[in-house]
Amino acid sequence: MENIVLDSADRRILAVLQEQPEISIAELAPLVGLSQTPCWRRMKRLQEVGVIAGRVWLLRPEALGLTVNVFAQLKLKQHDEETLEALESRARALPQVVECFSMSGDGDYLLRVVVASVSDYERLLKKVMLHLPGVASVSSSFALATVKGTTKLPPD
């Protein structure tokens, strides 16, 4: 993605949208100091250039019985392009994997996995994760509590 230049009006729009994602253009425009048409054009441009990636409803995992957060650090046997692409593709396809990061340091990938129980994670680990392309080892850490969880990005 190219380096996008955002002015103060764009940043105001983004700040309001993070707080009030369901706000209408008619309500948003005066809050950011624009009329409706220029506000709509800016939002459209922010979507087209990829600053606004989409809209979602955020669900509370515990309300759905998904009470276990696991951070799994994967170390790979080999680091060729084919293995990396295959692992990333498989990780994207696993619904329990809600985030996957390519890492520097000791581990090669860090996955955040959300499941209903430790035994569910154990099954996933044994049947799927240890068999992902190129995986040499998996080190798992279980979150005790979520101290902060947000999708809001900092303003600058």
Side-chain angles (χ1 to χ4, degrees):
M1 187 163 99
E2 64 191 65
N3 195 4
I4 309 300
V5 177
L6 302 176
D7 64 16
S8 60
D10 293 330
R11 291 187 184 282
R12 287 192 307 269
I13 289 169
L14 295 171
V16 172
L17 288 176
Q18 286 190 107
E19 289 291 330
Q20 303 174 55
E22 293 183 12
I23 194 168
S24 69
I25 294 290
E27 296 168 316
L28 175 62
L31 290 177
V32 298
L34 297 170
S35 62
Q36 289 184 40
T37 301
C39 185
W40 179 84
R41 284 187 186 128
R42 283 176 177 266
M43 280 186 56
K44 189 79 170 153
R45 180 183 142 273
L46 292 168
Q47 289 173 324
E48 288 170 356
V49 299
V51 173
I52 297 174
R55 299 178 196 191
V56 298
W57 287 92
L58 298 177
L59 308 178
R60 285 186 27 249
E62 59 277 2
L64 300 170
L66 300 170
T67 58
V68 179
N69 260 299
V70 185
F71 294 90
Q73 186 178 55
L74 279 57
K75 290 185 181 184
L76 302 183
K77 298 175 205 168
Q78 66 246 20
H79 296 86
D80 59 278
E81 187 176 353
E82 183 179 326
T83 300
L84 299 176
E85 288 177 1
L87 180 127
E88 291 173 11
S89 176
R90 293 277 306 279
R92 281 188 208 99
L94 291 172
Q96 301 91 336
V97 175
V98 295
E99 292 181 286
C100 176
F101 301 95
S102 175
M103 303 294 290
S104 65
D106 291 336
D108 296 303
Y109 286 90
L110 181 66
L111 280 56
R112 183 165 76 94
V113 178
V114 179
V115 290
S117 67
V118 173
S119 60
D120 285 346
Y121 178 70
E122 181 184 23
R123 272 190 299 282
L124 181 70
L125 177 66
K126 287 179 177 178
K127 303 249 185 239
V128 178
M129 292 175 60
L130 289 170
H131 302 285
L132 290 172
V135 169
S137 67
V138 177
S139 175
S140 304
S141 298
F142 294 81
L144 300 177
T146 301
V147 176
K148 179 179 181 179
T150 184
T151 60
K152 272 182 56 179
L153 296 177
D156 290 318

